[in-house]
Amino acid sequence: MLEVTDVTQPSDDLCVARVPLFQALTHEEQVAVAELAKPTRVGRGDRIYSAGDDVSQLMVVHTGLLKISRISAEGQEQIIRVLESGEFVGESAFLTGGRPDHFATALEAGSMCVFRHQDVGVLIARHPSIGLRMLQGVSRRLEQTEERLAAATSVEVGGRLARYLIDLRTHRDTDGTVTVRLPLAKKDIASLLDTTPETLSRGLRRLQDSGVIDQRGSRTVRLLDLDRLLDLAE
């Protein structure tokens, strides 16, 4: 499991200020919470923890991306979800005392704020809103997992791909189109969408050929026809 290393953090860029868990707190309370956090930097490809590890920490993503995945009996990786800035992992071990059945890996260089579980217990006792928001976060993940399982059995790959593109963070270009940046390699997106890289590539080509999207390089995609994407996603 990754070792925590202290990193100096500017007071105006508190890790906890980005996290929904702590957004109900005042700035002064957030500063106090941040004093319990152990900042650490991670490199691309770093294994944060493995299945079966004794994870006694709540890890909050400050910058970068974390991949949560499982390895099948055949040795095939299945990506469960990708955590962005402000999201957290390690809450399950805190709530249940169990060990993870998955792996956490840094997809890119970044930083995290890490809390010992005993400190999380103290924080929840002092600020019940933290516990409530933690449960809300767990509930959202369960809903997303159920939706994904339902989509895997009832929605074809094209529909899942359309929903994924729509859900990505976007900005609108001056001509009114929307541009998204793929945060993952295509093989990882394929794993996340429960398909193969070859099927994903064919799906992207079909969307491009039909004028729904325009691929710009390996990671940038312009969404030219949102209405048709929404139709596919539904």
Side-chain angles (χ1 to χ4, degrees), residues 105-152:
T105 309
L107 282 172
E108 60 186 36
S111 59
M112 299 188 304
C113 290
V114 180
F115 297 85
R116 297 180 303 170
H117 279 176
Q118 54 263 47
D119 290 334
V120 176
V122 171
L123 289 173
I124 291 176
R126 292 176 181 172
H127 309 287
S129 66
I130 295 175
L132 175 61
R133 287 175 180 265
M134 183 180 291
L135 290 174
Q136 290 172 337
V138 173
S139 177
R140 282 193 298 272
R141 287 181 184 175
L142 288 173
E143 290 176 357
Q144 291 167 356
T145 299
E146 290 175 355
E147 290 173 358
R148 180 178 169 186
L149 288 173

Side-chain angles (χ1 to χ4, degrees), residues 22-38:
F22 307 115
Q23 286 178 352
L25 306 181
T26 66
H27 179 71
E28 290 73 18
E29 290 171 332
Q30 289 177 349
V31 170
V33 170
E35 291 177 352
L36 296 175
K38 302 296 184 183

Side-chain angles (χ1 to χ4, degrees), residues 62 79 104 120 124 138 150 198 230:
H62 187 209
I79 297 178
V120 176
I124 291 176
V138 173
E198 295 78 15
L230 287 168

Side-chain angles (χ1 to χ4, degrees), residues 41-158:
R41 293 198 184 281
V42 297
R44 181 178 180 181
D46 282 352
R47 177 62 51 81
I48 310 304
Y49 59 81
S50 299
D53 281 352
D54 183 9
V55 181
S56 57
Q57 299 168 330
L58 179 72
M59 289 156 275
V60 178
V61 180
H62 187 209
T63 61
L65 297 172
L66 290 189
K67 173 179 66 176
I68 307 300
S69 61
R70 290 192 177 99
I71 305 297
S72 70
E74 295 75 26
Q76 183 176 0
E77 181 184 46
Q78 173 64 55
I79 297 178
I80 303 169
R81 62 181 179 273
V82 174
L83 305 183
E84 300 180 344
S85 176
E87 296 186 287
F88 58 91
V89 69
E91 79 290 340
S92 179
F94 169 75
L95 294 171
T96 68
R99 298 194 177 196
D101 60 353
H102 58 268
F103 298 78
T105 309
L107 282 172
E108 60 186 36
S111 59
M112 299 188 304
C113 290
V114 180
F115 297 85
R116 297 180 303 170
H117 279 176
Q118 54 263 47
D119 290 334
V120 176
V122 171
L123 289 173
I124 291 176
R126 292 176 181 172
H127 309 287
S129 66
I130 295 175
L132 175 61
R133 287 175 180 265
M134 183 180 291
L135 290 174
Q136 290 172 337
V138 173
S139 177
R140 282 193 298 272
R141 287 181 184 175
L142 288 173
E143 290 176 357
Q144 291 167 356
T145 299
E146 290 175 355
E147 290 173 358
R148 180 178 169 186
L149 288 173
T153 57
S154 62
V155 180
E156 64 180 27
V157 173

Side-chain angles (χ1 to χ4, degrees), residues 127-198:
H127 309 287
S129 66
I130 295 175
L132 175 61
R133 287 175 180 265
M134 183 180 291
L135 290 174
Q136 290 172 337
V138 173
S139 177
R140 282 193 298 272
R141 287 181 184 175
L142 288 173
E143 290 176 357
Q144 291 167 356
T145 299
E146 290 175 355
E147 290 173 358
R148 180 178 169 186
L149 288 173
T153 57
S154 62
V155 180
E156 64 180 27
V157 173
R160 301 201 296 271
L161 174 57
R163 172 53 58 190
Y164 178 77
L165 292 173
I166 290 170
D167 287 343
L168 288 176
R169 294 181 179 180
T170 63
H171 72 271
R172 191 169 293 276
D173 297 332
T174 55
D175 62 358
T177 60
V178 172
T179 298
V180 300
R181 176 169 173 77
L182 302 179
L184 309 174
K186 289 179 181 177
K187 66 178 182 62
D188 291 329
I189 295 174
S191 176
L192 191 62
L193 298 181
D194 300 301
T195 187
T196 65
E198 295 78 15

